[in-house]
Amino acid sequence: MLRGRAAAVRAVSIAAIAAGTLSAGLTLRAEPAATTPAPQATAEPAAAPAAPDPHHGKAVSYTCLGCHGIEGYKNAYPMYSVPELRGQNAEYLVIALHGYRDGDRAHITMHSQSESLSEQDMTDAAAYLAGKPLAASGKPPTAVPAAAQLCVSCHGQDGIAVAPIYPSLAGQHEDYLVRALNEYKHGGRKNPVMKGFAANLKDEEIAQIAAYFSSLSPALGTEPRPYTVFGTD
């Protein structure tokens, strides 16, 4: 009798263990398999602008000629001549547009204009407005004012920039050059090289630099602005 009861107990125990093992196996199989996180998508780098298209540049820069296409036109409040662009380096003009767009140069109108342009628009507009860049005369002046001695290392003794990333200054409006140097000096423009250079300039030295470069030739010029003739097709 006891032996029969013990055998029954063992049978029940074995059945319980088997049932627990099966349940555990089912539970493990029910758990979802671990997954590897999907790689994050990376942004595609912006495509470089295509080759400059001056014809498209003429179209997108039409409003620019409202200031830069009028001989002797002046910026108001404060009043100074808007810069001449004909003969300038197109690569520099793109850099300048970036400066206005990004806030490195303080000018509300130019910020609004540049903010509306794509990289390709800037490249094309710069090519149109610059036209044919000035070429060095080969006859640099011999008497460079002391205040301008450091300037010529980038802008050239004859005012023709030594590299297309720099602006040529030959024949640029004198009052515009004074304004630009003062903006570098007082923080209106944030180019670190020019800011450091202009920081220690005295007013009379700024005047000498502007007078020197504005007198040089071959000189920058104003892009002619087409005028509408009323009453014609």
Side-chain angles (χ1 to χ4, degrees):
M1 183 72 177
L2 291 173
R3 285 197 298 273
R5 186 177 296 172
V9 171
R10 284 196 301 274
V12 171
S13 300
I14 292 171
I17 293 171
T21 303
L22 178 60
S23 176
L26 291 173
T27 302
L28 289 173
R29 284 196 294 274
E31 293 177 355
T35 57
T36 303
Q40 296 293 321
T42 56
E44 292 292 331
D53 179 359
H55 295 289
H56 177 245
K58 182 178 182 178
V60 299
S61 66
Y62 183 79
T63 56
C64 304
L65 298 179
C67 294
H68 296 283
I70 302 175
E71 190 70 41
Y73 191 82
K74 292 184 180 292
N75 181 84
Y77 310 115
M79 184 171 285
Y80 57 89
S81 301
V82 299
E84 296 178 300
L85 305 182
R86 200 68 177 166
Q88 189 57 270
N89 290 313
E91 189 173 338
Y92 164 73
L93 291 182
V94 173
I95 293 172
L97 285 170
H98 283 167
Y100 287 116
R101 182 195 65 187
D102 300 337
D104 290 336
R105 294 189 177 194
H107 194 288
I108 294 175
T109 301
M110 285 301 302
H111 173 72
S112 299
Q113 289 283 340
S114 57
E115 199 174 34
S116 68
L117 300 175
S118 69
E119 291 294 324
Q120 189 65 54
D121 290 340
M122 289 186 184
T123 298
D124 296 345
Y128 167 70
L129 293 169
K132 184 179 180 180
L134 296 180
S137 63
K139 299 177 181 179
T142 56
V144 179
Q149 288 291 342
L150 187 59
C151 306
V152 300
S153 60
C154 293
H155 301 289
Q157 281 193 327
D158 55 358
I160 312 300
V162 301
I165 61 172
Y166 304 129
S168 290
L169 304 181
Q172 187 59 273
H173 295 300
E174 185 173 353
D175 60 339
Y176 170 75
L177 293 178
V178 169
R179 174 68 189 184
L181 285 170
N182 274 307
E183 286 188 356
Y184 285 121
K185 180 176 180 177
H186 298 292
R189 298 189 184 192
K190 298 178 175 59
N191 179 285
V193 175
M194 284 301 302
K195 185 177 180 180
F197 167 69
N200 297 318
L201 288 177
K202 299 175 182 178
D203 290 345
E204 55 268 30
E205 291 174 321
I206 289 177
Q208 289 174 6
I209 293 170
Y212 172 71
F213 283 109
S214 66
S215 68
L216 301 176
S217 60
L220 298 169
T222 300
E223 174 63 34
R225 177 179 126 175
Y227 288 89
T228 300
V229 179
F230 295 102
T232 62
D233 294 333

